[in-house]
Amino acid sequence: MAAPKTSLSPQALKGPLARLKRANAAFARRTPGDSPDRQPVHTLYGGAQLFTAESTRKLGELARKALREHAPDAHVLGNALGLTRELALKVYPRVQAKLEREPVEDFRIDFEDGYGNRPDPEEDQDAIRTAEETAEAMAEGTLPPFIGIRIKPLSGELFARSLRTFDLFVTALAVLVIDAMIASPA
């Protein structure tokens, strides 16, 4: 198997990472509060080894099934959550609609705790595969509104592995997105 392509060498990252550290510190000084933009209500961390273009759809199906089985109506949901009858009658249809429209708001393809330590070739393959799955879901319009990857920490021990995973994912995704744009210009 050919070595996977990356765009960034460790040497090429030294300068940009130092500048990024300074820029992040300056940004934190200028904007100390939360963004007024939409923030997801929940974030789902799913192990990278499990992620597919169908993940959001499948998780939505499971969530709707759980609601049907464990809270089949407003009364049951209201009792479980300690809501008044009036509030439960307002909340229940909104929960149903949310699970139909957007069951996952923010998905993190997890290469850290939900993934564990794996041999480098396996993590390399999963980084590329998850980028391919992300591109497929993007083309199908099935991605949640917020999505990203969670890499291992940038500690001394894991720095190279973490950046390699990030680089492989971003490079593969960028190539796929650009190729799709070229193949079907708007």
Side-chain angles (χ1 to χ4, degrees), residues 11-61:
Q11 185 62 32
L13 289 171
K14 284 184 182 179
L17 286 174
R19 289 190 300 277
L20 179 61
K21 184 176 180 179
R22 289 190 302 274
N24 283 344
F27 177 80
R29 285 190 301 275
R30 285 190 316 272
T31 56
D34 288 335
S35 167
D37 297 333
R38 176 182 174 192
Q39 299 292 312
V41 174
H42 66 272
T43 300
L44 188 146
Y45 291 84
Q49 75 279 15
L50 304 173
F51 181 78
T52 72
E54 295 292 311
S55 291
T56 299
R57 183 190 58 76
K58 289 178 181 179
L59 290 165
E61 288 173 3

Side-chain angles (χ1 to χ4, degrees), residues 54-148:
E54 295 292 311
S55 291
T56 299
R57 183 190 58 76
K58 289 178 181 179
L59 290 165
E61 288 173 3
L62 290 171
R64 290 185 295 275
K65 180 181 177 195
L67 184 67
R68 284 191 307 273
E69 289 178 3
H70 300 287
D73 58 41
H75 177 72
V76 175
L77 181 68
N79 284 343
L81 298 177
L83 304 177
T84 65
R85 176 175 164 71
E86 181 182 338
L87 185 56
L89 289 170
K90 289 179 182 178
V91 168
Y92 192 78
R94 293 178 79 178
V95 170
Q96 287 178 308
K98 177 68 171 174
L99 292 178
E100 285 295 329
R101 180 183 73 254
E102 194 175 78
V104 177
E105 283 189 309
D106 185 3
F107 195 107
R108 296 294 159 208
I109 302 166
D110 191 359
F111 284 93
E112 193 189 26
D113 297 331
Y115 186 72
N117 294 319
R118 295 168 187 260
D120 285 341
E122 184 177 348
E123 188 160 336
D124 287 353
Q125 286 179 330
D126 279 337
I128 294 166
R129 182 192 58 74
T130 56
E132 293 167 349
E133 296 286 340
T134 300
E136 181 181 330
M138 184 183 299
E140 294 171 359
T142 59
L143 286 178
F146 302 91
I147 188 163

Side-chain angles (χ1 to χ4, degrees), residues 142-166:
T142 59
L143 286 178
F146 302 91
I147 188 163
I149 65 170
R150 179 181 188 219
I151 58 173
K152 291 171 176 61
L154 296 174
S155 63
E157 180 183 328
L158 296 172
F159 184 82
R161 174 68 265 170
S162 301
L163 283 181
R164 182 170 174 79
T165 298
F166 179 76

